[in-house]
Amino acid sequence: MHDLRWLRENAAAFDRSLARRGLPPAAATILAVDEERRALETRLQEGQAERNRLSREIGERKRAGGDARELLDRVAALKDEVKAGEERLRELQARLESLLASYPAVLAEDVPDGPDERANRVVRVVGTPRRFAFAPKPHDELGARLGMSFEKAAKLSGARFVVLTGGLARLERAIAAFMLDLQTREHGYTEVAPPYLVRDEALFGTGQLPKFAQDLFRTDSGHWLIPTAEVPLTNLVAGEILAESQLPLRFVACTPCFRSEAGAAGKDTRGMIRQHQFTKVELVSVTTPEQSAAEHERMTRCAEEVLKRLELPYRVVLLCSGDTGFASTKTYDLEVWLPGQGVYREISSCSNCGDFQARRMQARFRPEGGKPPRFVHTLNGSGLAVGRTLIAVLENFQEEDGSIRLPGALVPYMDGIDRLEPEGR
RNA sequence: GGAGGGAUGGCCGAGCGGUCUAAGGCGCACGCCUGGAGAGCGUGUUGGGGGCAACUCCUCGCGGGUUCGAAUCCCGCUCCCUCCGCCA
């Protein structure tokens, strides 16, 4: 959702942002509808003012016991005209709003230009990939002897699901608990247990609807399964006018996430990299416009801290213009090193959405001093994707015999167990 | 699933055909008072648009209707709540 006032004065900047995302210009189209709407509104207003004045006069005259017939005739002529104008105005307004809702967020200035992920910029590399004395295996191979079954999952649910059993199920729970504790105890996030089914409005607010319906699962009842806890957490402030003193708000939730992966046929078909259902710990911040850039850095560090404590090598990548999501003005991805595949893979994505989502969901705050409300800024980031973290632990901490030595930070969450042993050994 | 009740400004809450430009309260802002704070007093305070401006329009859940005129009457929808039934 975009600010019309801003757009009028910054049409070129708007189109430049679209161009950087590889999209054709649109400001002129939007502004033409805006122009039409304003002209109509100005014209309509005269009629409305006249009607209101006459009606008031009729009331006065009737109360005084006078004859209002002549005034009634005059207002009758205005009536249809005004009504038609109001209808037309509503149409234009609706058209304008759906236009405004269909273009992605204006990118931050410091987002590098580029068409796709190859142009992303590595900001920092943290930790050194371990040197293996043997060929490290991918997680699905390791998992086969540890309680990871895609066959069982396929029987139940089809492709892109997994069943974890025993130590691996326990490990997933341990990782999630560790992350929640870190973010709540040390980083000041408030834990939330939100609904996993939401309505259209919530998904419109965060920007998944109406454009990306094909990526989502929908129930018979008309609800949608959340693709990320960003949706319920951010929409917590939808329609609110918060006090500036309440900001920043910081929420964390561990939820399952559901994605149809409609456009990903044939991609990442092996292993549990890309699933229809996965667990994720999500961070959401709501801030003032002045604070959001600093909060973005802070949030990214909060996500990075998880990787540091788990002793996982990673790098931070600033996404280029063509790779930055619809609702985001700027995004850092955290990519963890996966020795089994010899690549860095996305494990977190931290985005500053500016006021883009706030406008869609009417989330505002009242500045100190009783001034008019302003839109908040919203940010979200994974802290982290739990399934992919589990993968990273397996691949990075594997031993030649297929066992997994667990990072120290997780041991307390595993009741002291510091090793997963494969079956049939 | 059945039967009722409700939706008003940042919040609570009155209003049930014209001056509602929405009472009153809370909160907030500013001022007075004070050594300072509090209390008290006074003033202001829904939100969103249009217009160079004067000014004006919209906004009482949403949409439609009746009317010269709707927060108020009628119809539809959405959401919330209560009770009963069923069920974690």
Side-chain angles (χ1 to χ4, degrees), chain A residues 93-251:
Chain A
Q93 191 69 41
R95 185 136 62 89
L96 193 55
E97 261 157 38
S98 79
L99 259 179
L100 284 173
S102 67
Y103 294 97
V106 173
L107 294 165
E109 285 304 323
D110 55 350
V111 170
D113 279 324
D116 54 41
E117 67 276 0
R118 291 189 305 265
N120 293 345
R121 183 186 298 160
V122 176
V123 175
R124 55 185 170 269
V125 180
V126 180
T128 313
R130 167 184 160 199
R131 203 168 309 210
F132 285 88
F134 56 95
K137 295 191 174 96
H139 70 274
D140 51 303
E141 245 172 79
L142 295 164
R145 292 167 65 202
L146 292 165
M148 178 184 294
S149 173
F150 298 98
E151 296 72 22
K152 284 191 176 80
K155 185 169 64 177
L156 305 177
S157 311
R160 292 205 193 280
F161 288 92
V162 67
V163 172
L164 301 179
T165 309
L168 282 185
R170 180 65 192 274
L171 179 59
E172 170 161 75
R173 178 157 61 91
I175 290 170
F178 160 70
M179 290 176 184
L180 282 170
D181 282 349
L182 174 65
Q183 305 302 357
T184 55
R185 289 174 182 165
E186 298 188 39
H187 296 154
Y189 284 86
T190 301
E191 184 168 353
V192 178
Y196 307 152
L197 294 174
V198 296
R199 328 172 192 285
D200 298 9
E201 291 77 22
L203 287 154
F204 178 84
T206 36
Q208 283 83 8
L209 287 183
K211 235 178 175 162
F212 305 102
Q214 76 282 355
D215 297 336
L216 305 168
F217 287 109
R218 189 173 147 93
T219 69
D220 278 348
S221 63
H223 288 100
W224 303 82
L225 278 76
I226 56 171
T228 159
E230 169 198 345
V231 176
L233 290 183
T234 309
N235 276 284
L236 249 21
V237 297
E240 303 276 331
I241 300 182
L242 304 156
E244 181 168 2
S245 59
Q246 293 175 265
L247 302 178
L249 292 171
R250 297 190 176 110
F251 300 120

Side-chain angles (χ1 to χ4, degrees), chain A residues 171 312 389-398 404 406-407 410:
Chain A
L171 179 59
L312 294 167
T389 304
L390 182 137
I391 290 172
V393 168
L394 298 188
E395 294 199 6
N396 281 279
F397 289 86
Q398 61 179 296
I404 312 294
L406 295 177
L410 291 178

Side-chain angles (χ1 to χ4, degrees), chain A residues 4 7-8 11-12 14-15 18 23-38 92-93 95-103:
Chain A
L4 261 178
L7 188 69
R8 271 178 223 143
F14 181 81
D15 281 342
L18 289 183
L23 298 167
T29 311
I30 301 171
L31 289 177
V33 179
D34 177 45
E35 192 88 13
E36 194 182 345
R37 184 201 111 231
R38 282 152 72 201
L92 275 173
Q93 191 69 41
R95 185 136 62 89
L96 193 55
E97 261 157 38
S98 79
L99 259 179
L100 284 173
S102 67
Y103 294 97

Side-chain angles (χ1 to χ4, degrees), chain A residues 236-342:
Chain A
L236 249 21
V237 297
E240 303 276 331
I241 300 182
L242 304 156
E244 181 168 2
S245 59
Q246 293 175 265
L247 302 178
L249 292 171
R250 297 190 176 110
F251 300 120
V252 59
C254 176
T255 71
C257 302
F258 304 91
R259 300 187 181 178
S260 73
E261 298 297 345
K267 225 180 184 179
D268 300 316
T269 48
R270 276 188 72 86
M272 52 182 288
I273 282 280
R274 192 175 296 273
Q275 303 277 285
H276 286 309
Q277 175 192 320
F278 60 96
T279 305
K280 181 157 60 67
V281 170
E282 182 76 0
L283 307 172
V284 161
S285 294
V286 178
T287 75
T288 64
E290 288 71 25
Q291 291 173 323
S292 75
E295 183 72 11
H296 190 208
E297 300 300 321
R298 181 187 191 276
M299 174 182 277
T300 305
R301 297 289 180 175
C302 290
E304 284 182 67
E305 189 60 26
V306 177
L307 291 165
K308 286 183 185 162
R309 304 246 181 139
L310 295 179
E311 304 161 48
L312 294 167
Y314 69 93
R315 62 184 191 183
V316 182
V317 171
L318 174 57
L319 298 193
C320 76
S321 56
D323 206 22
T324 300
F326 184 74
S328 177
T329 67
K330 179 179 176 180
T331 298
Y332 290 117
D333 271 7
L334 268 44
E335 298 181 341
V336 70
W337 174 249
L338 295 181
Q341 357 217 327

